[in-house]
């Protein structure tokens, strides 16, 4: 398979045999200037905003912190630190509704801004390209940079992996294929130089020679801005790609830009590439050039229910409600509030949930936009889902297995390859919630796996307990035997003495 | 040679033991939920049926007919078939414990599989010679296996289908079996000459 | 008459002999399966299944006297593993209804008598004499042995709380 992106534009579209083309709803929000959210009265900073172990707090309640100060440190190999989004006081460390469909609570630090927004002192290196690659990685890690496209995987871990396995190409994801979202578009238009610098820093950190930036061709302004910014740097190639959902999924973008395929159960690195989002590259630029950790991000606030939709720069920890309020509130009660894009984002249980590092958008969608209310009909086996699946799976068959309580059957059909893009649900003429089935089955399989692990660890505990009990019983018996032996020895000694005494007495008797 | 080929086709397909003669319906409905189990059952039945055809022919021609004990035919056949099944059961248990578990109760039930006894009795009724009897047994068993696997394949798909509640389970299976039987009736129009 | 009796006797004897030889030739150790089944069970000997310990449960499973869903602490995972080993199809719907439970100590009632953690088959309860005891969630199987041992009814079972890592989507159409 050739790299589609290197072919003439008129050929590209016909060579992509997957995906859907939803109405993108990106304009006019994408063309409006970015605004900055005024500091809210409270910020809720979750200790886990990333894939991996939650961060460990290093400040106490009542401490005064500066903007960018470390609040919680990375707690494991795969983890990321959390920094203060502004200067102020830590008023509480508690639990708070997570930006998650369940609405369950998670540990957060509550920061009360003092309004001064004072940065910590930073000492960025004069020439980061003179530093060893690992040092750049360390700075990225210390800045708490995670994948900003929504995956929230700690970026430094990826950079270290890229350096270790010596990937050849850095793929920069500027696809932004989700409808409504335009934060990456805006970032590339307004901060193209910063993004390109971040790309070059990432290249330096992994020791790769070439970066390919995939940008969907529905963003001509962003492409132009990026091409201009990248002109002096031949190693950064800007490659327009057809606008086709899910172009922004890493596996699909890798294939279109390089012609390589990520193997089953493998990672991008197995195909010799590494993927970073444009937002992440900009965060790397900020971390290395300015010494500033990731404390704010660009969020698209949009959806039919929002009065004044636009792109907003929000501090990490601002609530979704604060962003909606800034955009003049909601015109009508939304049918669904989504964090992320409408295809792959998570519905929020409450708008009290905070913006985190991976929040690309906050959408308040009306009933009309959600389009629900139609009940799922029977599968007519039209195979529309098969023809759009970007992973070449059989969604209808997998869903049939899951419906009849056989998630293992779906697993056999490649459920783990499903990227959850939702193309199948989107095209289904019977409105079958296919990707919901797959989310459910993935959860069920993961729960089974956890149960298996637990029962194994419990088996270990039980055997250890039995061994301990046996040992204790044995030791008790041995101690008892020893005491008995001692008692008997003492008795024997006493008897011998008595005997000797009698004998002596007898001799004395005889003598007398 | 052609005659033997025709015999095989006519026993396996045209006069299919399950769908045309309606013999052996117990395993047909019992062991057709999974293709794996159906293949195992089919192979075990093929072995038993062929062996039983040979053994019962020998029993009939060398013992029952010479001694004029025709009235003991059913008893004698059952004893021979039971012994053959026992043997197969032990062999499977040793060689493939998994298949043994899958077949479960249905393995001993081959003993009372009316297809086995039926084919043996039909052999006698038809006055078949040794070679014909063997082929007749083998052909019938092939037909049995074929239909069992076909049906299991359909049922694996049925298990995933949204069957109306009133028809779910056994009813839809029986309806399917009926349709399958109708389809096989079509082979009776086959002109084999 | 004589011919009939004699011929059937000879036939039966001959077949019997043949089967006897075959039985010897194809002999398999029947007990392997019990040990294999016991290895699949949690091994906490909690007795919730109604059999004396996991060995007894394994024996009952091997004899086909108990369903594969007999082990409440093992949950779906163990039931599926058992079903696979035995080659039967598991009816897991019965398990779906019983939610997994965890022991929990009501601190205001606990007198620190240590009886519960002596009873715990997985060492999931922590504490010392006259200290309030606590339950380790990761090690607790919800076997309820501690509940019976507590003199002040301070130990009870609560459903395992959902967390962000264990939360899963519900099945479509089964809200």
């Amino acid at each position: 398979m050739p790299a589609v992106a290197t072919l003439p534009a008129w050929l590209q579209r016909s060579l992509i045999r997957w995906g859907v083309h939803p109405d993108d709803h990106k304009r006019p929000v994408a063309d409006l200037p970015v605004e900055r959210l005024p500091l809210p009265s409270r910020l809720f900073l979750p200790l886990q905003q990333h894939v991996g172990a939650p961060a460990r707090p290093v400040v106490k309640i009542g401490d005064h912190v500066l903007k960018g100060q470390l609040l919680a440190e990375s707690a494991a190999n795969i983890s990321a630190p959390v920094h203060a989004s502004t200067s102020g006081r830590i008023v509480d460390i508690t639990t708070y509704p997570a930006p998650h469909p369940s609405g369950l609570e998670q540990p957060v630090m509550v920061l009360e801004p003092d309004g001064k927004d004072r940065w910590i002192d930073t000492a960025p290196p004069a020439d980061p390209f003179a530093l060893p690659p690992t040092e750049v990685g360390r700075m990225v890690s210390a800045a708490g940079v995670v994948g900003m496209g929504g995956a929230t995987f700690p970026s430094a871990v990826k950079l270290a992996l890229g350096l270790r396995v010596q990937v050849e190409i850095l793929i920069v994801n500027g696809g932004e294929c989700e409808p409504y979202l335009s934060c990456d578009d805006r970032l590339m238009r307004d901060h193209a130089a910063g993004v390109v610098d971040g790309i070059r820093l990432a290249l330096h950190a992994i020791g790769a020679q070439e970066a390919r930036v995939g940008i969907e061709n529905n963003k001509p302004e962003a492409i132009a801005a990026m091409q201009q910014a990248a002109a002096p740097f031949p190693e950064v190639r800007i490659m327009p790609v057809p606008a086709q959902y899910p172009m922004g999924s890493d596996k699909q973008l890798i294939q279109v830009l390089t012609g390589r395929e990520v193997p089953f159960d493998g990672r991008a690195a197995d195909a010799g590439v590494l993927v970073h989002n444009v937002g992440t590259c900009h965060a790397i630029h900020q971390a290395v050039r300015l010494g500033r950790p990731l404390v704010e991000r660009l969020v698209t606030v949009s959806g039919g229910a929002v009065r004044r939709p636009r792109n907003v720069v929000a501090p990490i920890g601002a609530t979704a409600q604060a962003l909606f309020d800034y955009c003049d509130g909601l015109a009508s009660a939304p049918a669904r509030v989504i964090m992320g894009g409408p295809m792959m984002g998570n519905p929020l249980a409450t708008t009290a949930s905070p913006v985190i590092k991976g929040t690309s958008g906050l959408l308040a969608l009306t009933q009309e936009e959600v389009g629900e209310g139609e009940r799922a009909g029977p599968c007519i086996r039209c195979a529309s889902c098969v023809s759009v699946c970007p992973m070449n799976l059989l969604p209808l068959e997998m869903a049939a297995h899951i419906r009849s309580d056989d998630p293992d059957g779906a697993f056999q059909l490649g459920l783990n390859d499903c990227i959850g893009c939702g193309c199948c649900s989107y095209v289904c003429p019977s409105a079958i919630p296919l990707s919901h089935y797959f989310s459910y089955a993935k959860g069920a399989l993961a729960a089974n796996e956890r149960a298996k692990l637990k029962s194994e660890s419990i088996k270990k505990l039980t055997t250890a307990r039995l061994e301990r009990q046996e040992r204790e019983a044995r030791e008790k018996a041995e101690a008892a035997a020893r005491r008995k032996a001692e008692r008997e020895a003492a008795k024997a000694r006493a008897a011998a003495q008595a005997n000797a005494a009698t004998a002596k007495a007898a001799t004395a008797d005889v003598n007398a | 040679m052609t005659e033997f080929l025709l015999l095989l086709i006519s026993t396996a397909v045209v006069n299919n033991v399950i769908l045309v003669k309606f013999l052996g319906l117990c395993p047909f409905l019992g062991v057709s939920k999974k293709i794996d189990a159906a293949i195992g059952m089919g192979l075990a039945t093929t072995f038993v049926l062929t062996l039983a055809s040979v053994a019962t022919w020998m029993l009939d021609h060398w013992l029952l007919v010479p001694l004029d004990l025709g009235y003991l035919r059913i008893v004698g056949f059952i004893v021979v078939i039971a012994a053959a099944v026992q043997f197969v059961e032990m062999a499977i248990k040793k060689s493939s414990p998994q298949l043994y578990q899958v077949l479960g109760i249905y393995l001993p039930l081959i003993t009372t599989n009316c297809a086995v006894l039926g084919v043996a009795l039909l052999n006698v009724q038809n006055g078949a010679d040794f070679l014909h009897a063997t082929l007749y047994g083998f052909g019938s068993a092939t037909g049995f296996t074929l239909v069992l696997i076909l049906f299991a394949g359909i049922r694996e798909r049925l298990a995933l289908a949204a069957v109306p509640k009133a028809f779910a389970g056994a009813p839809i299976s029986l309806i399917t079996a009926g349709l399958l039987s109708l389809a096989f009736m079509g082979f009776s129009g086959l002109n084999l000459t | 008459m004589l011919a009939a009796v004699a011929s059937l006797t000879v036939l039966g004897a001959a077949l019997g002999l043949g089967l006897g030889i075959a039985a010897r030739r194809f002999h398999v150790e029947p007990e392997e399966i019990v040990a294999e089944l016991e290895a699949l069970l949690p091994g906490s000997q909690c007795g919730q299944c109604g059999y004396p310990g996991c060995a007894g449960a394994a024996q009952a499973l091997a004899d086909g006297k108990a369903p594969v869903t007999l082990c409440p602490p093992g949950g779906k995972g163990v039931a599926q593993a058992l079903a696979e080993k035995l080659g039967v199809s598991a009816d897991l719907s019965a398990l779906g209804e019983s939610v997994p439970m965890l022991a929990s100590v009501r601190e205001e009632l606990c007198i620190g008598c240590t009886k519960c953690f002596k009873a715990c088959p997985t060492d999931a309860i922590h504490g010392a004499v006259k200290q309030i005891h606590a339950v380790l969630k990761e090690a607790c199987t919800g076997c309820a042995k501690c509940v019976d041992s507590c003199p002040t009814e301070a130990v009870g079972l609560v459903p395992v709380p959902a967390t962000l890592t264990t939360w899963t989507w519900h099945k479509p159409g089964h809200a």
Side-chain angles (χ1 to χ4, degrees):
Chain A
M1 179 87 194
V4 173
T6 56
L7 299 171
W10 58 269
L11 241 176
Q12 292 183 3
R13 166 59 51 76
S14 60
L15 282 176
I16 293 174
R17 308 297 298 268
W18 44 255
V20 294
H21 211 262
D23 191 355
D24 72 3
H25 294 277
K26 285 184 193 276
R27 286 157 210 273
V29 180
D31 295 328
L32 297 173
V34 170
E35 293 175 23
R36 181 168 283 272
L37 182 76
L39 278 178
S41 57
R42 287 274 167 107
L43 294 173
F44 300 90
L45 296 157
L47 294 177
Q48 177 151 33
Q49 303 181 26
H50 49 263
V51 174
R56 198 183 305 119
V58 293
V59 292
K60 294 192 296 294
I61 296 174
D63 284 1
H64 187 272
V65 296
L66 292 177
K67 184 172 184 178
Q69 185 177 333
L70 182 72
L71 298 185
E73 60 184 7
S74 166
N77 285 340
I78 297 182
S79 184
V82 176
H83 299 83
S85 309
T86 182
S87 58
R89 206 164 55 86
I90 301 293
V91 290
D92 207 355
I93 299 177
T94 177
T95 60
Y96 193 74
H100 188 259
S102 67
L104 287 169
E105 303 207 329
Q106 74 178 131
V108 295
M109 289 184 154
V110 186
L111 176 65
E112 196 178 69
D114 59 8
K116 294 181 193 138
D117 210 24
R118 254 184 62 212
W119 273 98
I120 42 163
D121 299 329
T122 53
D127 180 14
F129 291 100
L131 297 173
T134 47
E135 181 57 20
V136 175
R138 198 199 53 75
M139 292 171 78
V140 171
S141 165
V145 179
V146 302
M148 291 176 75
T152 68
F153 191 84
S155 302
V157 178
K158 258 176 147 174
L159 292 178
L161 175 75
L163 185 63
R164 198 169 63 241
V165 305
Q166 296 193 319
V167 299
E168 299 139 32
I169 304 175
L170 172 70
I171 301 283
V172 180
N173 188 347
E176 195 161 59
C177 54
E178 283 260 14
Y180 292 93
L181 302 187
S182 53
C183 57
D184 288 351
D185 185 6
R186 256 345 298 186
L187 190 73
M188 288 187 284
R189 291 198 213 180
D190 300 343
H191 301 283
V195 173
V196 170
D197 186 58
I199 293 169
R200 292 178 57 232
L201 287 167
L203 274 180
H204 177 55
I206 59 175
Q209 299 305 319
E210 186 189 358
R212 297 186 183 180
V213 187
I215 307 174
E216 279 195 354
N217 60 14
N218 59 357
K219 295 182 257 297
E221 300 90 344
I223 294 172
M226 288 293 285
Q227 269 166 345
Q228 198 185 343
F233 310 110
E235 71 272 28
V236 181
R237 285 173 71 187
I238 311 295
M239 300 172 96
V241 293
Q244 179 89 348
Y245 180 85
M247 185 61 80
S249 156
D250 55 357
K251 286 175 185 158
Q252 277 59 48
L253 193 63
I254 290 170
Q255 195 161 17
V256 170
L257 291 186
T258 67
R260 303 178 188 185
E261 196 171 334
V262 179
F264 167 75
D265 245 0
R267 296 157 185 243
D270 297 326
V273 300
L274 200 65
V275 185
H276 273 301
N277 183 264
V278 287
T280 317
C281 291
H282 188 248
I284 292 173
H285 157 75
Q286 297 250 326
V288 179
R289 288 284 185 178
L290 308 174
R292 290 185 171 179
L294 177 56
V295 293
E296 60 180 26
R297 70 158 295 146
L298 199 49
V299 180
T300 304
V301 184
S302 186
V306 178
R307 282 213 181 84
R308 207 170 58 86
R310 61 206 46 232
N311 280 296
V312 179
V313 176
I316 304 295
T319 61
Q321 189 61 48
L323 271 88
F324 286 133
D325 287 346
Y326 175 74
C327 296
D328 290 352
L330 305 177
S332 58
R336 190 178 287 169
V337 176
I338 293 174
M339 184 170 278
M343 300 292 279
M344 289 182 74
N346 268 330
L348 285 187
T350 160
T351 53
S353 299
V355 165
I356 57 170
K357 293 173 181 174
T359 305
S360 47
L362 281 169
L363 309 177
L365 301 180
T366 59
Q367 189 64 52
E368 202 177 47
E369 289 170 295
V370 173
E372 268 178 27
E374 23 176 345
R375 285 174 56 86
C379 176
I380 56 171
R381 305 182 65 74
C382 65
S384 298
C385 49
V386 180
S387 59
V388 298
C389 181
M391 298 307 293
N392 296 326
L393 299 173
L394 300 171
L396 77 165
E397 290 287 301
M398 297 200 298
H401 278 277
I402 298 164
R403 189 164 42 232
S404 47
D405 287 315
D406 178 22
D408 286 317
F411 177 78
Q412 296 292 331
L413 288 166
L415 178 64
N416 269 15
D417 268 343
C418 168
I419 56 172
C421 65
C423 287
C424 45
S425 302
Y426 179 82
V427 294
C428 182
S430 289
I432 298 170
L434 289 153
S435 51
H436 184 169
Y437 274 108
F438 306 145
S439 303
Y440 156 73
K442 286 174 194 167
L445 289 173
N448 280 353
E449 205 53 38
R450 274 196 302 276
K452 218 176 273 171
L453 284 179
K454 182 171 176 179
S455 96
E456 268 164 29
S457 74
I458 279 170
K459 204 177 291 168
K460 260 182 229 153
L461 282 175
T462 321
T463 8
R465 182 175 189 264
L466 287 177
E467 271 169 24
R468 191 189 69 222
Q469 281 176 336
E470 259 172 42
R471 197 180 58 237
E472 279 172 0
R474 202 172 54 238
E475 279 168 5
K476 224 171 174 177
E478 274 168 14
R482 210 167 36 244
R483 273 199 304 279
K484 198 176 167 196
E486 272 169 22
R487 257 201 320 276
E488 270 169 14
K491 218 186 264 169
R493 257 199 315 281
Q497 271 168 11
N499 278 348
T502 344
K504 219 185 236 170
T507 343
D509 248 13
V510 172
N511 288 351
Chain B
M1 195 60 220
T2 334
E3 192 206 343
F4 293 136
L5 196 66
L6 287 182
L7 186 65
L8 266 181
I9 292 174
S10 68
T11 47
V13 180
V14 182
N15 290 309
N16 188 278
V17 66
I18 295 178
L19 293 176
V20 178
K21 295 213 172 85
F22 302 115
L23 292 172
L25 291 179
C26 167
F28 174 62
L29 291 168
V31 203
S32 54
K33 280 204 179 110
K34 289 257 173 263
I35 290 187
D36 295 350
I39 291 174
M41 186 68 182
L43 290 182
T45 309
T46 305
F47 187 74
V48 171
L49 230 169
T50 315
L51 196 69
S53 300
V54 174
T56 51
W57 188 89
M58 294 194 288
L59 181 73
D60 196 59
H61 278 251
W62 296 341
L63 196 70
L64 302 183
V65 172
L67 295 179
D68 198 20
L69 295 172
Y71 58 91
L72 278 180
R73 196 164 279 137
I74 289 179
V75 182
F77 281 12
I78 287 281
V79 169
V80 171
I81 291 167
V85 171
Q86 276 295 316
F87 177 77
V88 171
E89 189 182 348
M90 281 187 283
I92 289 182
K93 196 173 178 182
K94 175 79 179 179
S95 58
S96 168
Q98 242 158 356
L99 181 60
Y100 181 75
Q101 293 287 353
V102 168
L103 293 178
I105 182 68
Y106 293 102
L107 193 52
L109 279 184
I110 298 179
T111 312
T112 51
N113 184 342
C114 34
V116 182
L117 183 63
V119 167
L121 291 175
L122 281 172
N123 267 335
V124 177
Q125 208 178 59
N126 295 343
D129 62 23
F130 182 77
L131 203 56
H132 277 96
T134 313
L135 268 181
Y136 190 69
F138 180 72
S140 300
T142 312
F144 179 89
T145 310
L146 174 77
V147 169
L148 201 63
I149 293 171
L150 276 179
F151 193 53
I154 296 173
R155 282 186 81 177
E156 272 195 3
R157 294 217 59 88
L158 268 181
L160 301 177
V163 180
K165 214 167 198 166
F167 288 101
I172 195 74
S173 301
L174 288 170
I175 291 171
T176 313
L179 291 175
L180 210 52
S181 175
L182 277 179
F184 266 72
M185 293 288 184
F187 285 118
S188 60
L190 205 60
N191 193 352
L192 288 173
T193 53
Chain C
M1 174 66 193
L2 195 67
V5 171
S7 61
L8 271 191
T9 311
V10 170
L11 184 68
L15 289 172
L17 189 72
L19 283 178
I21 293 167
R24 219 161 256 239
R25 174 91 175 66
F26 292 120
H27 181 70
V28 272
E29 290 298 329
E31 292 307 313
E32 285 166 15
I33 188 83
V34 175
E36 280 173 21
L37 289 172
E38 198 185 339
L40 290 176
L41 291 166
S44 54
Q45 324 292 350
C46 70
Q48 273 187 88
C49 52
Y51 294 96
C54 295
Q59 184 67 54
L61 279 167
D63 297 345
K65 280 189 274 183
V68 288
T69 51
L70 87 172
C71 182
K76 273 190 188 174
V78 167
Q80 269 170 353
L82 290 174
E84 220 165 276
K85 175 59 71 186
L86 287 170
V88 298
S89 60
D91 179 20
L92 297 173
S93 55
L95 268 180
E97 288 156 22
S98 68
V99 270
M101 304 292 266
L102 271 187
S104 121
V105 177
R106 270 187 291 269
E107 299 186 352
E108 66 276 13
L109 290 178
C110 178
I111 53 168
C113 69
T114 78
K115 277 192 178 148
C116 55
F117 74 72
K118 280 180 192 149
C120 179
T122 58
D123 285 338
I125 305 185
H126 254 222
V129 182
K130 307 252 169 147
Q131 302 281 312
I132 290 169
H133 303 333
V135 179
L136 294 174
K137 271 187 233 156
E138 297 77 27
C140 178
T141 60
C143 73
K145 275 202 157 175
C146 47
V147 176
D148 302 332
S149 72
C150 183
T152 60
E153 293 185 3
V155 189
L157 287 185
V158 292
V160 179
T163 65
L164 287 177
T165 41
T166 60
W167 184 88
T168 57
W169 283 98
H170 61 80
K171 192 175 172 188
H174 296 250

